[in-house]
């Protein structure tokens, strides 16, 4: 079911960026993505990198019901912007982006990566080179003191128990995947459980998963009330996704 051949016809990449109230960073993030496209194009002489030429890479922003100026900040850099009338969550935003995407390689990036988003080709390269079907970015250790790792451990254990794969970055939202793999999966989870669900489904279908160290950086939650609420929401969403994948496995 997850059989891989070398006959994929790549038509470029679609970079999907879900955003909600990200006016402070989304402009810098999208500009950095454009820089990444340009720099990698100029540095690579191998024709294999033709896929990442500016004319074959599209940036799709899904404004998930923002109440600030996210749309205005994104407009100069995005090829397509879709606006939700209200916030439906990350899973819904990704689904909207997937419906708009035309590329044979899909890249999911968070809106708060800022200048570090220029490093995104690192996760695309193995997919293009037919070394992997999905590549997950493993981020550097956080600078700010966060939680106690309970959400991460729950996600790691759950992914292993349901698929046999042990991820080191189970919660990473930065990943590249073949579009036909996403079509085969056919579902995207809700909230903060999106990534966990995608990993489980891809492994169970027999696709090749890699993790790559990438120098991405993004907004970190601390040990204040807002940070604990965020981690509580994550824990609930991951647990719900694991429960759903247990009762409704993809195969």
């Amino acid at each position: 079911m997850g059989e891989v051949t070398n006959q994929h016809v790549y038509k470029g990449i679609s970079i999907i960026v879900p955003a909600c109230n990200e006016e402070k960073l989304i402009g810098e993030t999208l500009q950095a993505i454009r820089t990444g496209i340009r720099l990698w194009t100029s540095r690579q002489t191998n024709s294999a990198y033709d896929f990442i030429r500016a004319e074959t890479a599209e940036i799709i922003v899904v404004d998930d019901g923002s109440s600030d100026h996210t749309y205005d900040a994104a407009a100069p850099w995005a090829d397509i912007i879709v606006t939700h009338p209200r916030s439906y969550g990350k899973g819904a935003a990704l689904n909207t982006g997937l419906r708009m995407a035309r590329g044979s390689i899909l890249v999911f990036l968070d809106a708060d990566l800022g200048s570090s988003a220029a490093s995104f080709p690192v996760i695309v390269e193995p997919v293009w080179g037919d070394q992997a079907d999905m590549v997950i970015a493993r981020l550097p250790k956080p600078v700010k003191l966060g939680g106690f790792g309970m959400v991460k451990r729950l996600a790691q254990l759950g992914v292993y128990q349901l698929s046999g794969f042990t991820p080191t970055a189970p919660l990473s939202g930065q990943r590249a995947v073949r579009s036909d793999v996403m079509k085969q999966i056919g579902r995207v989870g809700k909230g903060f459980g999106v990534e966990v669900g995608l990993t489980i489904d891809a492994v169970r279908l027999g696709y090749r998963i890699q993790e790559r160290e990438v120098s991405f950086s993004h907004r970190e939650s601390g040990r204040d009330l807002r940070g604990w609420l965020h981690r509580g929401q994550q824990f609930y969403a991951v647990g719900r996704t694991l429960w759903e994948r247990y009762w409704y496995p993809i195969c």
Side-chain angles (χ1 to χ4, degrees):
M1 195 173 294
E3 183 180 356
V4 178
T5 71
N6 292 318
Q7 304 304 315
H8 308 302
V9 179
Y10 291 109
K11 299 178 181 178
I13 61 175
S14 296
I15 302 165
I16 301 172
V17 183
C20 183
N21 294 330
E22 291 288 357
E23 65 175 355
K24 293 182 179 180
L25 283 172
I26 192 167
E28 183 181 2
T29 298
L30 300 180
Q31 186 177 7
I33 293 172
R34 292 287 182 200
T35 299
I37 294 170
R38 185 174 64 252
L39 290 179
W40 275 70
T41 300
S42 65
R43 289 174 184 173
Q44 303 301 330
T45 57
N46 190 323
S47 61
Y49 286 88
D50 286 347
F51 79 97
I52 206 168
R53 292 176 302 179
E55 63 266 28
T56 60
E58 61 179 2
I59 300 176
I60 302 169
V61 173
V62 182
D63 183 356
D64 189 39
S66 296
S67 58
D68 63 1
H69 297 288
T70 292
Y71 182 97
D72 297 328
W77 308 105
D79 296 299
I80 299 172
I81 304 180
V82 183
T83 302
H84 287 170
R86 63 180 180 84
S87 179
Y88 296 112
K90 186 175 183 179
L94 288 177
N95 271 319
T96 296
L98 288 169
R99 288 195 295 271
M100 303 300 297
R102 297 171 296 175
S104 296
I105 298 177
L106 307 173
V107 183
F108 305 140
L109 297 176
D110 290 342
D112 63 350
L113 294 176
S115 61
S116 72
S119 300
F120 84 89
V122 175
I123 60 175
V124 180
E125 180 181 352
V127 181
W128 170 256
D130 198 29
Q131 299 167 359
D133 304 308
M134 178 184 289
V135 178
I136 303 168
R138 188 169 60 243
L139 278 64
K141 291 183 178 180
V143 176
K144 184 184 294 187
L145 189 64
F148 300 108
M150 294 177 63
V151 181
K152 182 177 180 179
R153 285 195 292 272
L154 172 66
Q156 285 177 319
L157 179 62
V159 171
Y160 174 74
Q161 292 292 336
L162 294 175
S163 70
F165 175 68
T166 303
T168 58
L171 303 173
S172 176
Q174 328 313 318
R175 57 185 65 199
V177 57
R178 290 186 359 231
S179 60
D180 60 312
V181 172
M182 286 303 303
K183 289 178 181 178
Q184 181 70 36
I185 292 174
R187 60 181 180 179
V188 175
K190 298 179 180 178
F192 297 111
V194 169
E195 292 80 16
V196 169
L198 286 178
T199 301
I200 292 170
D201 287 346
V203 174
R204 287 184 65 94
L205 287 170
Y207 291 114
R208 301 164 298 170
I209 312 296
Q210 278 190 21
E211 292 182 311
R212 285 285 181 100
E213 187 82 31
V214 187
S215 57
F216 285 140
S217 62
H218 62 95
R219 186 186 306 108
E220 298 175 356
S221 56
R223 290 187 172 178
D224 53 9
L225 178 60
R226 183 175 181 178
W228 290 116
L229 288 174
H230 173 73
R231 282 184 285 276
Q233 292 172 338
Q234 274 189 311
F235 193 91
Y236 171 78
V238 169
R240 181 180 62 187
T241 298
L242 294 174
W243 183 255
E244 290 173 350
R245 293 305 185 274
Y246 173 78
W247 284 106
Y248 306 102
I250 199 163
C251 64

